[in-house]
Amino acid sequence: MDVTFQFDWQAAIASIPYLLEGIPWTLLISFGGLAIGFIIGIVFGLARISRSPLLRWPAIVYIEIFRGTPVLVQVLFIFYGLPQLLGGPINALTAGIAAIALNAGAYISEIVRGGVQSIEKGQREAGLSLGLSRTQAFRYIIWPQALRRMIPALGNQGIVSIKDTSLFSVIGVGELVRQGQVYIATTFTALEVYFMVALMYLAITLSLSLALRLLERRGLVGQ
């Protein structure tokens, strides 16, 4: 049997206003989670390179758990599992932000560790010889250089986290994919709608990539 299919551009365009309603939620979950994850990453990244086992080993355990398990499993555990332990429900938006924060925090911890350790030890020793304390040497010499080197990797993690939000439709968060699923249920235009969803994700991630390239050209990141 001959089956022909024609892409319906009108249906794709008609879905845009509905899909746009999911973008604020996508951005809120991804950037809200990344902001918290950056703080977590700094804390656990520095703990990871600490000489104290009491700081280093908890950091290692956290990093390995959240890097070694899928973000989908993490958000399902937070949304469905934690309420049984806490005795009360967790909002889907809160669960999504928490999952991004904890997952991204684990990866950012390793980015922070790598960035700090990439700075030559001689620079810290030079700061100490000038009369700076270890904290001052880290704050004024090591950290600013390490942060510049970390920005490309942090940008890549941001892109990954934005795409990870597409998984949170399983808990009912009204982000892009969820909006697309609801729209498809009434219009039966899956190909066209998911095509537009992909384009919107691409537009968001390309915008972030272009911003990072602009920073690199201006010499604000890297070596």
Side-chain angles (χ1 to χ4, degrees), residues 52-197:
S52 171
L54 295 177
L55 295 176
R56 187 171 65 253
W57 282 107
I60 292 173
V61 171
Y62 160 73
I63 291 168
E64 294 304 325
I65 287 175
F66 282 93
R67 287 204 310 162
T69 56
V71 67
L72 179 58
V73 174
Q74 293 164 15
V75 76
L76 290 174
F77 177 81
I78 293 170
F79 187 68
Y80 292 110
L82 279 186
Q84 296 182 24
L85 298 176
L86 301 177
I90 294 178
N91 179 272
L93 178 62
T94 302
I97 293 175
I100 290 293
L102 292 169
N103 184 268
Y107 286 94
I108 292 172
S109 296
E110 288 296 276
I111 294 171
V112 169
R113 179 184 66 82
V116 171
Q117 291 182 334
S118 72
I119 306 301
E120 296 76 9
K121 293 182 179 179
Q123 297 200 36
R124 180 176 63 84
E125 294 170 355
L128 296 176
S129 68
L130 293 174
L132 297 178
S133 67
R134 290 181 179 273
T135 301
Q136 289 174 326
F138 178 82
R139 178 179 177 183
Y140 297 112
I141 298 176
I142 304 300
W143 180 251
Q145 296 182 76
L147 183 59
R148 287 184 60 187
R149 296 184 181 184
M150 286 188 280
I151 289 177
L154 291 172
N156 289 334
Q157 180 57 46
I159 291 173
V160 171
S161 294
I162 289 171
K163 294 187 293 183
D164 282 344
T165 62
S166 63
L167 300 172
F168 299 162
S169 60
V170 299
I171 61 171
V173 178
E175 43 70 59
L176 266 173
V177 172
R178 180 64 177 175
Q179 289 294 104
Q181 290 173 339
V182 174
Y183 190 80
I184 290 168
T186 58
T187 61
F188 304 102
T189 53
L191 177 63
E192 292 82 1
V193 173
Y194 283 131
F195 175 78
M196 296 308 300
V197 168

Side-chain angles (χ1 to χ4, degrees), residues 8-30:
D8 189 344
W9 284 104
Q10 288 185 343
I13 294 172
S15 70
I16 293 177
Y18 195 84
L19 294 177
L20 287 175
E21 295 178 12
I23 290 182
W25 296 105
T26 295
L27 296 179
L28 176 61
I29 294 170
S30 55

